[in-house]
Structure formats: C-alpha cells, structure tokens
Amino acid sequence: VQLQAYGGGLVQAGGSLRLSCAASGRSFSSYLMGWFRQGSGKEREFVAAISRSGNTYYADSVKGRFTISRDNAKNTVYLQMNSLKPEDTAAYYCAADLSLVTRIDTEYDYWGQGTQVTVSS
C-alpha cells in the first residue's frame, strides 16, 4: 500500500487543522492506520491509531484535542487536530500495518511522506 499525507500548514495556537492520508492499493480496510510525528531534534512519537474495526487510540498529549477517523470507501484516514499548541509543531506521518493494534513505529510496514504542521504562539 502506498500512502500520501497532506493538509499540514501554519496555524496559530488554539486553531485547527485536518490532516488526510490517502492510500492506494487493495484492502485498505484491513490495515491498522496510525499517525506519528517528529519535531525538530526529537524522536518520532505516536500520535493516534485506528484499527480495522474502528477502535481508536491516542497519545496522552493529544487526547481530547485530536480525533482520528477513517473512510474505507475513500481509502483515507484523517486526523482532526483542534486546540493546537506550539508543542504540536512537527512533521506528521501516516503509517499502515496489518497488526491488530500497535503504538510502536517500527512495527508499521508502510509510511507516507511527512506533512509539516507549524503552530505559532
């Protein structure tokens, strides 16, 4: 499966953005889909994931502010980001795997290119 993430940009603190990740290939609905981010000089970290059945998982730092969802008919996963903070600034990556659920980046087999999110204070 090939993944393409888009929707990043520059936003003021407190604002919102919606990231999208379009997948090509078959059986999108069979994949666990995840979002990760990597800030400048930082390690890549888990943000959110959504399972095949639609169960969602979030990092504590984004819980209550971010929402992950998927549209299997459109082969797309979304990350709605509200109440953005400067510390959310990072390159955001979508990933896919056939695992049931995992928050570990090295366990994802497929990755899209990053989309930059910059939150100004």
Side-chain angles (χ1 to χ4, degrees), residues 3-43:
L3 305 174
Q4 184 171 3
Y6 55 96
L10 175 63
V11 64
Q12 289 188 333
S16 298
L17 279 176
R18 188 175 81 156
L19 305 184
S20 301
C21 176
S24 62
R26 295 180 288 182
S27 303
F28 172 78
S29 61
S30 299
Y31 287 89
L32 167 72
M33 299 299 300
W35 285 97
F36 292 79
R37 66 187 182 187
Q38 187 168 19
S40 179
K42 299 180 180 179
E43 293 188 354

Short mmCIF file of all heavy atoms in Angstrom, two decimals, residues 3-43:
data_model
loop_
_atom_site.label_atom_id
_atom_site.label_comp_id
_atom_site.label_asym_id
_atom_site.label_seq_id
_atom_site.Cartn_x
_atom_site.Cartn_y
_atom_site.Cartn_z
N LEU A 3 1.04 5.42 0.65
CA LEU A 3 0.35 6.42 1.45
C LEU A 3 0.82 7.81 1.09
O LEU A 3 2.02 8.03 0.87
CB LEU A 3 0.60 6.17 2.94
CG LEU A 3 0.27 4.78 3.46
CD1 LEU A 3 0.72 4.64 4.90
CD2 LEU A 3 -1.22 4.50 3.35
N GLN A 4 -0.12 8.74 1.05
CA GLN A 4 0.22 10.14 0.79
C GLN A 4 -0.52 11.02 1.79
O GLN A 4 -1.75 11.06 1.78
CB GLN A 4 -0.14 10.53 -0.63
CG GLN A 4 0.29 11.95 -0.98
CD GLN A 4 0.13 12.26 -2.46
OE1 GLN A 4 -0.34 11.42 -3.23
NE2 GLN A 4 0.52 13.46 -2.85
N ALA A 5 0.25 11.70 2.62
CA ALA A 5 -0.33 12.57 3.64
C ALA A 5 -0.33 14.02 3.15
O ALA A 5 0.60 14.44 2.45
CB ALA A 5 0.46 12.46 4.93
N TYR A 6 -1.35 14.75 3.52
CA TYR A 6 -1.42 16.16 3.16
C TYR A 6 -2.34 16.88 4.14
O TYR A 6 -3.01 16.24 4.96
CB TYR A 6 -1.92 16.33 1.72
CG TYR A 6 -3.23 15.67 1.41
CD1 TYR A 6 -4.42 16.41 1.46
CD2 TYR A 6 -3.29 14.33 1.06
CE1 TYR A 6 -5.63 15.81 1.17
CE2 TYR A 6 -4.51 13.74 0.77
CZ TYR A 6 -5.66 14.47 0.82
OH TYR A 6 -6.86 13.87 0.54
N GLY A 7 -2.32 18.20 4.05
CA GLY A 7 -3.18 19.00 4.90
C GLY A 7 -2.45 19.81 5.95
O GLY A 7 -3.07 20.56 6.71
N GLY A 8 -1.13 19.67 6.04
CA GLY A 8 -0.38 20.45 7.01
C GLY A 8 -0.34 21.92 6.64
O GLY A 8 -0.78 22.33 5.57
N GLY A 9 0.18 22.72 7.55
CA GLY A 9 0.28 24.15 7.29
C GLY A 9 0.66 24.90 8.53
O GLY A 9 1.06 24.31 9.55
N LEU A 10 0.53 26.21 8.44
CA LEU A 10 0.84 27.12 9.55
C LEU A 10 -0.47 27.57 10.19
O LEU A 10 -1.38 28.03 9.48
CB LEU A 10 1.62 28.31 9.03
CG LEU A 10 1.92 29.44 10.04
CD1 LEU A 10 2.81 28.94 11.16
CD2 LEU A 10 2.56 30.62 9.31
N VAL A 11 -0.57 27.45 11.49
CA VAL A 11 -1.78 27.83 12.21
C VAL A 11 -1.39 28.47 13.53
O VAL A 11 -0.35 28.13 14.10
CB VAL A 11 -2.70 26.61 12.40
CG1 VAL A 11 -2.03 25.57 13.29
CG2 VAL A 11 -4.06 26.99 12.93
N GLN A 12 -2.24 29.36 14.01
CA GLN A 12 -1.99 29.97 15.32
C GLN A 12 -2.41 29.02 16.43
O GLN A 12 -3.29 28.16 16.24
CB GLN A 12 -2.76 31.28 15.44
CG GLN A 12 -2.19 32.39 14.58
CD GLN A 12 -2.86 33.73 14.86
OE1 GLN A 12 -4.02 33.77 15.28
NE2 GLN A 12 -2.15 34.81 14.61
N ALA A 13 -1.80 29.19 17.58
CA ALA A 13 -2.18 28.40 18.74
C ALA A 13 -3.67 28.54 19.00
O ALA A 13 -4.23 29.64 18.90
CB ALA A 13 -1.38 28.85 19.96
N GLY A 14 -4.30 27.41 19.30
CA GLY A 14 -5.74 27.39 19.51
C GLY A 14 -6.53 27.06 18.26
O GLY A 14 -7.73 26.81 18.34
N GLY A 15 -5.85 27.07 17.12
CA GLY A 15 -6.51 26.79 15.86
C GLY A 15 -6.64 25.30 15.58
O GLY A 15 -6.30 24.45 16.41
N SER A 16 -7.14 25.02 14.38
CA SER A 16 -7.41 23.63 13.98
C SER A 16 -6.84 23.36 12.59
O SER A 16 -6.71 24.27 11.77
CB SER A 16 -8.92 23.37 13.95
OG SER A 16 -9.50 23.55 15.22
N LEU A 17 -6.52 22.10 12.37
CA LEU A 17 -6.13 21.59 11.05
C LEU A 17 -6.66 20.19 10.92
O LEU A 17 -6.81 19.48 11.93
CB LEU A 17 -4.61 21.56 10.89
CG LEU A 17 -3.85 22.84 10.53
CD1 LEU A 17 -2.35 22.55 10.53
CD2 LEU A 17 -4.29 23.38 9.19
N ARG A 18 -6.91 19.78 9.70
CA ARG A 18 -7.26 18.39 9.44
C ARG A 18 -6.26 17.81 8.46
O ARG A 18 -6.13 18.30 7.33
CB ARG A 18 -8.68 18.23 8.89
CG ARG A 18 -9.07 16.77 8.80
CD ARG A 18 -10.50 16.55 8.37
NE ARG A 18 -10.68 16.64 6.92
CZ ARG A 18 -11.67 16.06 6.25
NH1 ARG A 18 -12.59 15.37 6.91
NH2 ARG A 18 -11.77 16.21 4.95
N LEU A 19 -5.59 16.77 8.89
CA LEU A 19 -4.68 16.04 8.02
C LEU A 19 -5.42 14.89 7.38
O LEU A 19 -6.30 14.28 7.99
CB LEU A 19 -3.49 15.50 8.82
CG LEU A 19 -2.68 16.51 9.62
CD1 LEU A 19 -1.49 15.81 10.27
CD2 LEU A 19 -2.22 17.66 8.76
N SER A 20 -5.03 14.59 6.16
CA SER A 20 -5.59 13.45 5.44
C SER A 20 -4.44 12.56 4.97
O SER A 20 -3.33 13.04 4.71
CB SER A 20 -6.40 13.91 4.23
OG SER A 20 -7.46 14.76 4.62
N CYS A 21 -4.74 11.31 4.83
CA CYS A 21 -3.76 10.35 4.31
C CYS A 21 -4.50 9.42 3.36
O CYS A 21 -5.35 8.63 3.78
CB CYS A 21 -3.12 9.57 5.44
SG CYS A 21 -1.98 8.28 4.89
N ALA A 22 -4.18 9.55 2.09
CA ALA A 22 -4.83 8.74 1.06
C ALA A 22 -3.99 7.51 0.77
O ALA A 22 -2.77 7.61 0.60
CB ALA A 22 -5.01 9.56 -0.21
N ALA A 23 -4.63 6.37 0.71
CA ALA A 23 -3.94 5.11 0.47
C ALA A 23 -4.31 4.56 -0.90
O ALA A 23 -5.47 4.63 -1.32
CB ALA A 23 -4.30 4.10 1.55
N SER A 24 -3.33 4.02 -1.57
CA SER A 24 -3.60 3.32 -2.83
C SER A 24 -3.29 1.85 -2.62
O SER A 24 -2.53 1.48 -1.73
CB SER A 24 -2.72 3.89 -3.95
OG SER A 24 -1.36 3.71 -3.64
N GLY A 25 -3.88 1.02 -3.42
CA GLY A 25 -3.70 -0.40 -3.24
C GLY A 25 -4.96 -1.03 -2.69
O GLY A 25 -5.93 -0.34 -2.38
N ARG A 26 -4.92 -2.30 -2.55
CA ARG A 26 -6.11 -3.03 -2.15
C ARG A 26 -6.22 -3.21 -0.64
O ARG A 26 -5.24 -3.08 0.07
CB ARG A 26 -6.12 -4.40 -2.82
CG ARG A 26 -6.24 -4.32 -4.34
CD ARG A 26 -6.23 -5.71 -4.95
NE ARG A 26 -4.90 -6.31 -4.87
CZ ARG A 26 -4.63 -7.51 -5.37
NH1 ARG A 26 -5.57 -8.23 -5.94
NH2 ARG A 26 -3.41 -8.00 -5.25
N SER A 27 -7.39 -3.49 -0.21
CA SER A 27 -7.64 -3.93 1.18
C SER A 27 -7.28 -2.88 2.22
O SER A 27 -6.78 -3.22 3.30
CB SER A 27 -6.88 -5.23 1.47
OG SER A 27 -7.23 -6.23 0.57
N PHE A 28 -7.57 -1.62 1.90
CA PHE A 28 -7.30 -0.56 2.88
C PHE A 28 -7.98 -0.87 4.20
O PHE A 28 -7.42 -0.63 5.27
CB PHE A 28 -7.81 0.77 2.33
CG PHE A 28 -7.77 1.90 3.32
CD1 PHE A 28 -6.58 2.55 3.61
CD2 PHE A 28 -8.93 2.33 3.96
CE1 PHE A 28 -6.54 3.59 4.52
CE2 PHE A 28 -8.90 3.37 4.88
CZ PHE A 28 -7.70 4.01 5.15
N SER A 29 -9.18 -1.40 4.15
CA SER A 29 -9.94 -1.65 5.38
C SER A 29 -9.29 -2.69 6.27
O SER A 29 -9.64 -2.81 7.45
CB SER A 29 -11.37 -2.07 5.04
OG SER A 29 -11.35 -3.27 4.27
N SER A 30 -8.33 -3.44 5.74
CA SER A 30 -7.66 -4.47 6.52
C SER A 30 -6.51 -3.94 7.36
O SER A 30 -5.96 -4.66 8.20
CB SER A 30 -7.10 -5.56 5.59
OG SER A 30 -8.13 -6.18 4.87
N TYR A 31 -6.15 -2.69 7.15
CA TYR A 31 -4.97 -2.13 7.79
C TYR A 31 -5.30 -1.33 9.04
O TYR A 31 -6.27 -0.57 9.08
CB TYR A 31 -4.22 -1.22 6.82
CG TYR A 31 -3.49 -1.96 5.75
CD1 TYR A 31 -4.12 -2.29 4.54
CD2 TYR A 31 -2.18 -2.37 5.93
CE1 TYR A 31 -3.45 -2.98 3.56
CE2 TYR A 31 -1.50 -3.06 4.95
CZ TYR A 31 -2.14 -3.37 3.76
OH TYR A 31 -1.47 -4.07 2.79
N LEU A 32 -4.46 -1.49 10.03
CA LEU A 32 -4.37 -0.55 11.14
C LEU A 32 -3.71 0.71 10.58
O LEU A 32 -2.67 0.62 9.91
CB LEU A 32 -3.49 -1.15 12.24
CG LEU A 32 -3.03 -0.21 13.35
CD1 LEU A 32 -4.21 0.14 14.27
CD2 LEU A 32 -1.90 -0.86 14.14
N MET A 33 -4.29 1.86 10.86
CA MET A 33 -3.73 3.12 10.36
C MET A 33 -3.28 3.98 11.55
O MET A 33 -4.01 4.10 12.54
CB MET A 33 -4.78 3.88 9.54
CG MET A 33 -5.26 3.12 8.32
SD MET A 33 -3.95 2.75 7.14
CE MET A 33 -3.38 4.40 6.70
N GLY A 34 -2.11 4.55 11.42
CA GLY A 34 -1.58 5.36 12.52
C GLY A 34 -1.03 6.68 12.04
O GLY A 34 -0.72 6.86 10.86
N TRP A 35 -0.98 7.61 12.96
CA TRP A 35 -0.32 8.89 12.75
C TRP A 35 0.82 9.02 13.76
O TRP A 35 0.62 8.72 14.96
CB TRP A 35 -1.29 10.07 12.93
CG TRP A 35 -2.26 10.26 11.81
CD1 TRP A 35 -3.54 9.82 11.75
CD2 TRP A 35 -2.02 10.96 10.58
NE1 TRP A 35 -4.12 10.20 10.56
CE2 TRP A 35 -3.20 10.90 9.83
CE3 TRP A 35 -0.91 11.63 10.04
CZ2 TRP A 35 -3.33 11.48 8.56
CZ3 TRP A 35 -1.04 12.21 8.79
CH2 TRP A 35 -2.23 12.13 8.07
N PHE A 36 1.95 9.46 13.27
CA PHE A 36 3.11 9.73 14.10
C PHE A 36 3.60 11.13 13.79
O PHE A 36 3.23 11.71 12.77
CB PHE A 36 4.23 8.72 13.82
CG PHE A 36 3.90 7.33 14.27
CD1 PHE A 36 3.08 6.50 13.51
CD2 PHE A 36 4.42 6.83 15.45
CE1 PHE A 36 2.76 5.22 13.93
CE2 PHE A 36 4.12 5.55 15.88
CZ PHE A 36 3.29 4.75 15.12
N ARG A 37 4.43 11.67 14.65
CA ARG A 37 5.01 12.99 14.38
C ARG A 37 6.44 13.03 14.87
O ARG A 37 6.84 12.28 15.76
CB ARG A 37 4.19 14.09 15.04
CG ARG A 37 4.20 14.08 16.57
CD ARG A 37 3.22 15.12 17.10
NE ARG A 37 3.24 15.18 18.56
CZ ARG A 37 2.39 15.90 19.28
NH1 ARG A 37 1.44 16.64 18.67
NH2 ARG A 37 2.47 15.91 20.60
N GLN A 38 7.19 13.93 14.25
CA GLN A 38 8.58 14.11 14.63
C GLN A 38 8.92 15.59 14.59
O GLN A 38 8.93 16.21 13.52
CB GLN A 38 9.52 13.33 13.71
CG GLN A 38 10.96 13.35 14.16
CD GLN A 38 11.81 12.34 13.42
OE1 GLN A 38 11.45 11.85 12.34
NE2 GLN A 38 12.93 11.97 14.00
N GLY A 39 9.16 16.15 15.77
CA GLY A 39 9.57 17.53 15.86
C GLY A 39 11.05 17.67 15.60
O GLY A 39 11.80 16.68 15.63
N SER A 40 11.49 18.87 15.35
CA SER A 40 12.90 19.12 15.06
C SER A 40 13.77 18.70 16.24
O SER A 40 13.54 19.13 17.37
CB SER A 40 13.09 20.61 14.76
OG SER A 40 14.45 20.89 14.50
N GLY A 41 14.73 17.84 15.97
CA GLY A 41 15.63 17.37 17.01
C GLY A 41 15.02 16.37 17.97
O GLY A 41 15.63 16.05 19.00
N LYS A 42 13.84 15.90 17.65
CA LYS A 42 13.16 14.94 18.54
C LYS A 42 12.97 13.60 17.86
O LYS A 42 13.05 13.48 16.64
CB LYS A 42 11.80 15.50 18.96
CG LYS A 42 11.87 16.80 19.72
CD LYS A 42 10.47 17.27 20.10
CE LYS A 42 10.51 18.58 20.86
NZ LYS A 42 9.14 19.05 21.22
N GLU A 43 12.69 12.60 18.67
CA GLU A 43 12.39 11.29 18.12
C GLU A 43 10.94 11.25 17.62
O GLU A 43 10.08 12.00 18.10
CB GLU A 43 12.61 10.20 19.18
CG GLU A 43 14.06 10.03 19.57
CD GLU A 43 14.27 8.81 20.46
OE1 GLU A 43 13.27 8.20 20.86
OE2 GLU A 43 15.43 8.49 20.75
#
